[in-house]
Structure formats: structure tokens, C-alpha cells
Amino acid sequence: MNTKQADFFYVANTYGRFDVALQQGSGAGYVDEDGKAYIDFGSGIAVNTFGSCDPEWVVAVTAQLNTMGHTSNLYYSAPQARLAQMLCEKTGMKKVFFGNSGAEANECALKIARKYGESTGRSTIVTLKSSFHGRTIATLAATGQDKFHEHFGPFPGGFEYITPGDEDELTAALTSGQVCGILMEMVQGEGGVNVLDKSYVQLAAKLCRENDVLFMVDEVQTGNGRTGKLFGFMHYDVQPDVFTTAKGLAGGLPMGACVIGEKAENVLGKGDHGSTFGGNPICAAGAVNVLSRLTDEMLEEVTAKGEYIRQELENAPGVNGITGLGLMLGISTEKPNTQIAADCLRSGLLVLTAKDKVRLLPPLNISFEALKQGIAILKENL
């Protein structure tokens, strides 16, 4: 029984998989079980920050694996403490809670907002239409897309969805006296790679300050250098009270983080939240390696690569428009995006989709030569 057959018989049928079984990866390249090579423009959905099996990352993770694997959060561990310090020092935040995924990080943010508003009787959390915040029951409830609200109800109440860019709706929601927090993505990834306007985000931050509402940013996909800044909110000249991140944080290992600013740093106390695996030393060692390499030079390179992709594709036949920041791009196409993704796969290029767009999330350190080769394949299939 080959990999595809075994998967069909034994793995829960929750994914629409592409017709390929990948066997080995190196940087921005993969090889399948039949020996066919692929260029990777997906990074495991923005997870493999420096591509597959990055040598420096492998050394860091292996060293920790041979030093101490799992312990529990009943004890201190150096990799977790070092990672928390790096996250706070690089962002101006105060505390970090570690989980294993973006959904868990967002669950933590929701709990912080609810407890923050408890003393004043405010419990509503505002999110944006077309948002995506995870697949747990609470983060699905926070997600502003109707299709994710099918089958699994009843959902927790206390969520209000507003239209991105509508400043009147934003103002009405945040001045209602009922809201404890707002959670928004600077670029709505799963919602179609939609970039929020700077004036809108700055108004949200201002209204939160004036009305004692927590300004919370979901950086699960946009974080860790993906947009050309360390975190997406840094494009907007705002400082969140809480932000969440995951995906690329540990470069290929499961890790999520809820990063908490001064206003909310002491909201959660002993027993209010927890995670058995959160902050695992091996994952933390991988994340320390990733963050230490996201230098200003690297982020400038990410911006330059994103601009190169735009220049190559903006006027290409079959392209109707491009959205996104850095190496998080969405391409509106004349042909169905699912057809383009399937055709690219047959041509040796791995791309993703988001709503009606082709989505590109290549490794941050992908070479310009690999970018050039991948763009040529994409153009052939547009």
C-alpha cells in the first residue's frame, strides 16, 4: 500500500489534498515519491520560514533534542525563557503565553479579553468579516465567515462582526460600552489576502485606547517576517495590547504564542490558562533560531522579493490584480485558482489558494533564481 492509499484508508478525510506525496525537501525544493522535483511557493502554509530542512535550524533543533526534550510548564526551561525575552524585546511587549498553534494562541487572546472586561461587565469581542482565527469552537465563532459557522453549532456567543474598512461600523462597535476587545488580521490570509487600510487600523487602535478596549492583532500568518516586517502591525505604526502568532515562529515545529502588552500583562493568573506541550524546549529552540535570523537585512530581502514577484506578474496575461505584503501575496486570476494550482503542480510548482485567489507564501530565504523559475512556471499556467 503506497502513501496515498494508506492516507485514504486511515487518515480522517478532512483535507482536500493535492495529488502528490512529497518525500523529501531541501530549502525551497521538494521531491515526491516518484522522484519528480517541485519548487515550493507555499512553505507549508507559511510555516517553513527558511524552507525545508534548513541546515542552521536543523542544528539548533538537534542540539536541543540531544540536551532535553519535553519537560512540563511546572518547571523553568532556558529555551522557552530565551524565546519569551526575544519576543518581548523585539516588540515592546511584556509577557508571553506559549501554546502549539495559532488557534490556541487566539483562544488565549479571547480569554484575556473576556477576563479583562469582566470587572466592567463587558464581554463582546469584535472581529472582522472575512477574517479567520482558527478551527476550535471559540475561534470558529470569532471567524467572520459564514461558511465556517456551518455544522458545529451552537457556537459561543459574544462576538460581533464588522466590515473591514467601514469606519462608522468600527466606531459604533468600539464605543458601545459592551466590547472588551477587538481581534483583527493586518492581512486577512484565508479571507483572500486582503490588506487593511492604515487609517482604519490606526483608528481602531485609537478607539481602543479611548474606550479601554483591548486592541488585539492576529499575526498567525503575517508574523515572523512574512510581510517584510517582523510582525504585520509594524507596517501600521500601532502597538497592540495583545498579539498572537504561530505558523512560521518555530520554522516547522508546532508552536503558538500569545504576546501580551502592559495593559493586559497581569490579567491571567495561576490556573487561568495552561498547555501541556506549550513552549516545548525543542520547539522553542527552533523558534529562537528563526527569530535570531530575522534581521533587518533579511526583512529588506523579503520586501525586495515581494516587489520582484509583483513586477513580474502585475501585467502578465491572466492576472487581474495582486494583493498582500512582502512574501504573502494573493493573485486574482482569470482562470479558476484551483485549476491554476493543479496545473502548476503538474508543472513542478507548489502554490496555494485563498478564496478566489492564487496565494504565494514562499520561504523567506528563497533564492532569486528559484523565484525566477517558479514565476516562469506560474506564468505558463495563468
Side-chain angles (χ1 to χ4, degrees):
M1 184 177 291
N2 63 31
T3 297
K4 295 178 188 177
Q5 291 170 329
D7 187 284
F8 177 79
F9 280 106
Y10 298 114
V11 178
N13 186 29
T14 59
Y15 302 102
R17 300 197 196 275
F18 289 101
D19 188 23
V20 61
L22 300 175
Q23 185 176 56
Q24 186 173 356
S26 177
Y30 278 93
V31 176
D32 69 15
E33 288 187 334
D34 299 320
K36 181 178 177 179
Y38 301 85
I39 297 170
D40 179 24
F41 274 17
S43 302
I45 316 182
V47 168
N48 299 328
T49 304
F50 296 120
S52 181
C53 299
D54 174 77
E56 289 187 46
W57 178 85
V58 168
V59 168
V61 171
T62 302
Q64 184 59 46
L65 183 65
N66 288 320
T67 302
M68 181 176 70
H70 177 71
T71 179
S72 81
N73 283 305
L74 297 176
Y75 311 103
Y76 301 104
S77 71
Q80 182 181 138
R82 175 61 180 144
L83 177 58
Q85 180 182 2
M86 291 176 73
L87 282 167
C88 289
E89 289 180 348
K90 288 176 179 290
T91 62
M93 303 295 270
K94 297 295 185 180
K95 295 284 192 296
V96 185
F97 177 86
F98 290 111
N100 309 282
S101 67
E104 288 183 44
N106 283 334
E107 285 272 356
C108 182
L110 299 178
K111 289 179 72 173
I112 290 171
R114 288 280 169 81
K115 189 177 179 187
Y116 183 81
E118 183 180 33
S119 63
T120 54
R122 295 173 295 148
S123 59
T124 297
I125 295 173
V126 174
T127 64
L128 305 187
K129 295 174 183 177
S130 296
S131 62
F132 181 83
H133 298 296
R135 295 183 182 274
T136 65
I137 293 295
T139 55
L140 280 177
T143 293
Q145 298 187 59
D146 289 342
K147 71 175 184 177
F148 290 105
H149 297 161
E150 299 172 355
H151 310 306
F152 303 111
F155 290 96
F159 292 94
E160 179 181 348
Y161 315 106
I162 61 175
T163 306
D166 189 322
E167 295 187 355
D168 291 336
E169 278 191 36
L170 177 69
T171 301
L174 297 186
T175 59
S176 68
Q178 304 300 314
V179 175
C180 57
I182 183 171
L183 179 62
M184 58 170 61
E185 305 155 278
M186 302 294 94
V187 183
Q188 295 180 319
E190 305 300 325
V193 198
N194 308 313
V195 183
L196 296 188
D197 291 335
K198 188 171 185 176
S199 61
Y200 180 78
V201 172
Q202 291 185 336
L203 177 61
K206 177 177 180 288
L207 289 169
C208 284
R209 289 194 304 272
E210 293 173 349
N211 293 277
D212 196 25
V213 173
L214 291 185
F215 177 55
M216 305 190 296
V217 180
D218 180 337
E219 295 273 2
V220 171
Q221 190 168 151
T222 52
N224 310 299
R226 176 56 53 185
T227 66
K229 298 284 189 181
L230 187 58
F231 291 99
F233 67 81
M234 294 175 174
H235 289 280
Y236 292 82
D237 299 322
V238 295
Q239 182 68 21
D241 298 311
V242 177
F243 76 85
T244 60
T245 189
K247 287 192 180 292
L249 177 59
L253 292 172
M255 171 166 276
C258 182
V259 188
I260 312 162
E262 184 175 4
K263 185 186 287 188
E265 66 173 310
N266 296 315
V267 169
L268 295 181
K270 291 181 178 64
D272 281 342
H273 203 38
S275 171
T276 297
F277 295 103
N280 172 276
I282 298 168
C283 299
V288 167
N289 177 263
V290 168
L291 280 184
S292 68
R293 295 162 63 189
L294 292 175
T295 61
D296 289 342
E297 287 184 355
M298 171 60 72
L299 297 175
E300 289 172 4
E301 190 176 306
V302 170
T303 299
K305 289 170 181 174
E307 290 174 352
Y308 170 78
I309 294 173
R310 284 179 179 273
Q311 291 168 3
E312 289 293 312
L313 293 179
E314 275 177 339
N315 298 314
V319 173
N320 294 329
I322 302 175
T323 60
L325 293 172
L327 288 176
M328 180 180 179
L329 297 172
I331 306 167
S332 297
T333 55
E334 293 178 7
K335 289 167 58 176
N337 61 344
T338 52
Q339 179 186 341
I340 292 170
D343 292 344
C344 283
L345 182 71
R346 285 190 286 271
S347 301
L349 177 68
L350 307 179
V351 300
L352 304 170
T353 61
K355 280 203 168 177
D356 59 348
K357 294 176 183 174
V358 174
R359 179 169 41 158
L360 307 182
L361 300 164
L364 303 190
N365 62 343
I366 189 172
S367 69
F368 275 97
E369 182 59 30
L371 269 182
K372 182 178 179 180
Q373 294 173 4
I375 293 299
I377 293 172
L378 182 55
K379 284 181 175 179
E380 290 173 1
N381 290 288
L382 285 170

